[in-house]
Amino acid sequence: PLSSSPVLFVFSPGETLLTPEARQRKSRPFSVVVAIDFGTTSSGYAFSFTGDPEAIHMMRRWEGGDPGVANQKSPTSLLLTPELKFHSFGFAARDSYHDLDPEEAQHWLYFDKFKMKIHSISDLTMETELEAVSGRRVKAIEVFAHALRFFKEHALKVKDQSSSVLERDEVRWVITVPAVWRQPAKQFMREAAYLAELVSHDSPEQLLIALEPEAASIYCRKLRLHQVIDLSLRPMSNGFSLESDGSRGQLKARHSRTFLVESGTGEFWSEMQTGDRYIVADCGGGTVDLTVHQIEQPQGTLKELYKASGGPYGAVGVDLAFEAMLCQIFGEDFIDSFKAKRPAAWVDLTIAFEARKRTATPGRSNGLNISLPFSFIDYYKRHRGQSVETALRKSNMNIVKWSSQGMLRLTAEAMNELFQPTINNIIKHIEELMKKQEVQGVRFLFLVGGFAESPMLQQAVQNALGQTCRIIIPQDVGLTILKGAVLFGLDPTVVRVRRCPLTYGVGVLNRFVEGRHPRDKLLVKEGREWCTDILDRFVSVDQSVALGEVVRRSYTPARTGQRKIIINIYCSATDDVVYISDPGVRKCGAITLDLPEALPGTVAGVERREIRATMQFGDTEIKVMAVDVASERTVRATIDFLSN
């Protein structure tokens, strides 16, 4: 049995060699790239044929979408039957759940905003569970796989130009994740895709994980100026842009609001000076995700200037603030009980709030009405023996009223109060980023993601940061990431240099040096003195790593006949660590090398086998390959961050 102590292998010293290495595998020619933007609140897909990469096609309208809206994204909502079978996704899931009998609904499983859980769980594994609205639990990986399977089936109906149906191996899939997600969460998404049979374990290169703000950046750099709204050009009055007919003529060029198929994507960066830098603030439903890029001329590749930052400050924060307000008025015990007993009506209420949330504008004098479901009013009366109206009066919440049409009336002040904490967090994050040495002098800020459509956020960002840089919003800002993800799938080498989010390394033995190493790290083995637990770092936090650059290490099995080498990987958010036992260092994954039997002819034990492992940190995921030096045979190498 293998112990996980670092004594298993003897470390061969030597500097970390970062050498650009040609892409190992010749990738299969794909005929189409399909990108899935799997968002916290809404999701969608887009695709492009490699034969006509300038045209990005958006998905068709969904069944059950709101009439009159060319809805290009659907709610990230999933409905499973009481037997845990897939029932529906998106608008259809929402509507079906709404139509269920309240008693029956308690047995069905409805999931929304479930992506947030993956961000917030610190010890994510394949066994992690999610809770449906009704309280029943199911494995998270299965929920994600159901959603991905739904998109796969939708997307594979796409016909190519010759109108033949796509074969599975012709498709390169791209799935988007927040850049602030850690390695386990990215691997989790990949495992869900394997489970949903988007791709098989044998062809991992058929699936790319794209980072959301990075995808947005790839798209923004291709924008022509007329495809963006420049907030600094828009005079504001009470949050509405002043466009009398006179000024509209001059602004028309910058504000063309008509463009759906991307053709002839103009190069935005020809208008930016050489080496210009910009921040992309991806404000989504669940997270705010910040990336800083520099455009490298003449090839227009992107170089990351500072490690991804951000946090769980998405538009969902506003919904949670609304829920907290309801708890304050009607009592937390009542809201909990209502959710459990009338889950579908609770979902209706949150949908009603979200619809109003989108229309909130700053400086609006009149309030917003939110209709309470009849079952809420009825349930409250039976549960509490008094009317909703009485509860409001008694709650001393002056900013929420009861309107005569039987609606909750949120004053402008109430709306501000719900938005403020989330918006303040976003601005604080951007301001902190701008103070960093590497980010000094950045002149452009791209605001993207679904929450960037909110006039409340737009104006707050303009007021706080408009003096320091130009704030630019792409036209169809909710689709920016989706389109960028397609571009990334067509050419993943466009982001040439990334920054490491953490310091990574392994625990090794080095010769014990008296006076330099602490005595409690001394290990005597076969008469030699070793120092244990030394962190051999592969890469350091915020280090620049170019695509194709690799870190090489050689490992030797401790025993002859050993069939597996397991190497624990440690990580730390700082760079000042020496030992794997230092505070802030944690075991985050493991590399497994499956050793083939030694070739006949080598006398066992005479020749120490050398396994050379090659790790890549410059991609959106950490990759590892290994080779048996003597036989030049490839060794099966896997890296796992999920079974910690």
Side-chain angles (χ1 to χ4, degrees):
L2 284 173
S3 73
S4 62
S5 92
V7 185
L8 255 182
F9 50 89
V10 177
F11 168 61
S12 63
E15 280 305 290
T16 302
L17 289 175
L18 283 175
T19 51
E21 197 164 81
R23 281 285 159 100
Q24 228 80 11
R25 284 186 297 262
K26 268 278 171 253
S27 49
R28 211 170 35 265
F30 303 109
S31 62
V32 64
V33 169
V34 180
I36 300 174
D37 176 7
F38 197 125
T40 300
T41 44
S42 61
S43 297
Y45 69 91
F47 56 96
S48 181
F49 296 103
T50 49
D52 182 17
E54 287 289 288
I56 297 177
H57 307 271
M58 305 305 293
M59 60 235 151
R60 307 186 311 280
R61 271 205 56 196
W62 303 101
E63 302 78 66
D66 301 324
V69 187
N71 252 5
Q72 296 185 305
K73 275 174 137 188
S74 87
T76 308
S77 310
L78 172 73
L79 183 60
L80 303 181
T81 67
E83 296 74 46
L84 306 186
K85 295 270 179 287
F86 176 85
H87 181 272
S88 47
F89 184 87
F91 291 106
R94 224 185 222 191
D95 295 345
S96 308
Y97 194 53
H98 171 89
D99 294 341
L100 284 171
D101 173 78
E103 287 305 307
E104 210 184 329
Q106 292 179 49
H107 304 292
W108 287 62
L109 292 86
Y110 181 83
F111 298 90
D112 59 0
K113 307 192 181 81
F114 49 85
K115 184 178 165 191
M116 277 302 282
K117 287 284 183 293
I118 303 307
H119 180 75
S120 53
I121 290 172
S122 53
D123 50 349
L124 181 63
T125 68
M126 301 287 278
E127 305 302 315
T128 299
E129 291 187 322
L130 290 178
E131 199 171 294
V133 178
S134 58
R136 278 186 70 186
R137 300 176 74 80
V138 71
K139 275 190 193 167
I141 193 92
E142 285 167 12
V143 173
F144 278 75
H146 278 306
L148 289 174
R149 204 174 289 119
F150 169 82
F151 279 111
K152 177 189 77 172
E153 283 161 11
H154 242 262
L156 286 181
K157 292 186 184 129
V158 167
K159 307 275 198 292
D160 65 7
Q161 286 96 324
S162 63
S163 79
S164 60
V165 176
L166 292 169
E167 293 299 316
R168 195 172 99 173
D169 59 357
E170 289 180 81
V171 182
R172 164 176 266 165
W173 297 92
V174 181
I175 299 176
T176 65
V177 304
V180 287
W181 270 17
R182 304 217 153 166
Q183 210 53 47
K186 294 175 184 173
Q187 184 185 334
F188 180 86
M189 214 48 156
R190 178 171 281 281
E191 295 293 343
Y194 290 145
L195 188 59
E197 297 182 340
L198 264 71
V199 300
S200 73
H201 280 281
D202 307 331
S203 46
E205 72 286 347
Q206 224 186 309
L207 167 68
L208 296 178
I209 298 292
L211 309 181
E212 287 158 2
E214 207 170 88
S217 175
I218 293 168
Y219 178 70
C220 288
R221 93 187 214 302
K222 288 189 89 69
L223 282 178
R224 278 209 183 94
L225 268 178
H226 73 259
Q227 291 165 346
V228 301
I229 297 166
D230 186 336
L231 284 187
S232 57
L233 292 176
R234 204 158 79 179
M236 287 279 185
S237 149
N238 290 339
F240 294 104
S241 54
L242 293 173
E243 288 188 2
S244 63
D245 290 340
S247 67
R248 191 171 285 154
Q250 295 138 37
L251 285 176
K252 198 73 171 181
R254 324 279 303 236
H255 279 217
S256 122
R257 287 196 182 274
T258 55
F259 96 111
L260 266 171
V261 169
E262 314 293 322
S263 55
T265 30
E267 307 296 347
F268 185 74
W269 48 269
S270 61
E271 322 226 6
M272 291 184 165
Q273 299 143 339
T274 305
D276 224 331
R277 302 168 303 165
Y278 55 86
I279 296 174
V280 174
D282 168 19
C283 306
T287 43
V288 59
D289 215 354
L290 308 173
T291 294
V292 192
H293 274 159
Q294 179 167 22
I295 292 170
E296 303 177 302
Q297 304 293 28
Q299 62 286 47
T301 49
L302 295 171
K303 173 181 175 185
E304 192 172 22
L305 296 181
Y306 188 73
K307 67 181 197 300
S309 58
Y313 308 115
V316 164
V318 184
D319 307 340
L320 293 172
F322 174 64
E323 187 178 325
M325 185 185 271
L326 291 177
C327 289
Q328 219 179 317
I329 298 170
F330 302 107
E332 195 170 339
D333 57 333
F334 169 74
I335 297 293
D336 286 345
S337 158
F338 180 69
K339 274 186 188 172
K341 291 283 186 285
R342 298 283 182 273
W346 170 254
V347 171
D348 288 344
L349 177 53
T350 57
I351 292 169
F353 173 73
E354 276 169 43
R356 304 311 288 153
K357 176 179 83 174
R358 290 181 202 289
T359 65
T361 49
R364 181 187 177 121
S365 51
N366 52 348
L368 289 170
N369 287 334
I370 292 159
S371 52
L372 287 175
F374 171 73
S375 65
F376 185 96
I377 298 169
D378 179 56
Y379 194 75
Y380 188 77
K381 185 133 179 97
R382 283 194 298 175
H383 199 266
R384 283 275 203 265
Q386 60 173 13
S387 71
V388 164
E389 197 178 343
T390 313
L392 266 171
R393 263 209 315 277
K394 287 185 177 166
S395 73
N396 296 329
M397 274 283 228
N398 302 331
I399 51 176
V400 184
K401 305 264 187 275
W402 181 248
S403 82
S404 51
Q405 300 98 355
M407 294 187 174
L408 274 189
R409 184 161 185 74
L410 298 187
T411 60
E413 206 185 331
M415 242 13 203
N416 278 335
E417 214 165 281
L418 297 178
F419 273 88
Q420 232 43 60
T422 300
I423 288 179
N424 289 348
N425 270 318
I426 292 174
I427 289 171
K428 192 177 86 194
H429 256 81
I430 300 174
E431 286 175 338
E432 277 167 17
L433 176 65
M434 286 178 144
K435 287 186 196 131
K436 301 275 187 263
Q437 193 55 51
E438 299 89 335
V439 190
Q440 294 298 307
V442 170
R443 309 215 332 270
F444 293 95
L445 171 67
F446 284 102
L447 213 50
V448 302
F451 197 20
E453 293 171 357
S454 163
M456 303 284 279
L457 180 63
Q458 288 180 9
Q459 185 174 0
V461 171
Q462 178 62 26
N463 290 349
L465 306 164
Q467 304 308 309
T468 29
C469 60
R470 279 178 60 191
I471 294 155
I472 293 173
I473 302 180
Q475 275 297 355
D476 33 13
V477 59
L479 303 174
T480 307
I481 290 157
L482 192 47
K483 292 172 181 175
V486 174
L487 295 172
F488 179 70
L490 290 166
D491 177 17
T493 63
V494 54
V495 181
R496 198 186 64 79
V497 182
R498 290 184 175 86
R499 295 284 182 131
C500 294
L502 296 166
T503 296
Y504 287 100
V506 294
V508 295
L509 303 177
N510 277 358
R511 288 290 167 77
F512 190 86
V513 180
E514 197 61 60
R516 193 172 110 205
H517 293 139
R519 298 296 298 175
D520 63 342
K521 299 284 182 200
L522 173 63
L523 171 82
V524 180
K525 201 174 171 223
E526 292 161 10
R528 278 177 140 168
E529 296 197 334
W530 297 96
C531 176
T532 62
D533 286 353
I534 287 185
L535 180 78
D536 161 36
R537 71 192 54 195
F538 296 152
V539 287
S540 299
V541 62
D542 214 28
Q543 174 186 335
S544 288
V545 186
L547 260 191
E549 281 185 347
V550 297
V551 180
R552 286 207 182 87
R553 289 289 188 275
S554 290
Y555 297 106
T556 303
R559 302 181 308 281
T560 51
Q562 189 174 322
R563 301 304 305 274
K564 246 190 185 38
I565 298 181
I566 294 180
I567 303 157
N568 288 329
I569 301 175
Y570 295 86
C571 69
S572 158
T574 58
D575 194 27
D576 51 4
V577 288
V578 182
Y579 302 101
I580 58 174
S581 52
D582 285 353
V585 181
R586 53 192 178 87
K587 176 176 171 283
C588 61
I591 295 176
T592 304
L593 304 175
D594 288 334
L595 306 183
E597 286 181 45
L599 290 176
T602 54
V603 184
V606 174
E607 200 181 330
R608 304 287 314 256
R609 285 175 79 182
E610 184 191 343
I611 308 295
R612 184 178 299 146
T614 304
M615 286 149 294
Q616 283 194 8
F617 291 89
D619 227 319
T620 56
E621 298 172 275
I622 298 172
K623 303 199 168 96
V624 62
M625 288 154 314
V627 115
D628 185 333
V629 177
S631 65
E632 294 186 352
R633 281 194 295 177
T634 303
V635 173
R636 190 178 128 79
T638 50
I639 187 161
D640 179 24
F641 291 92
L642 272 181
S643 41
N644 229 350

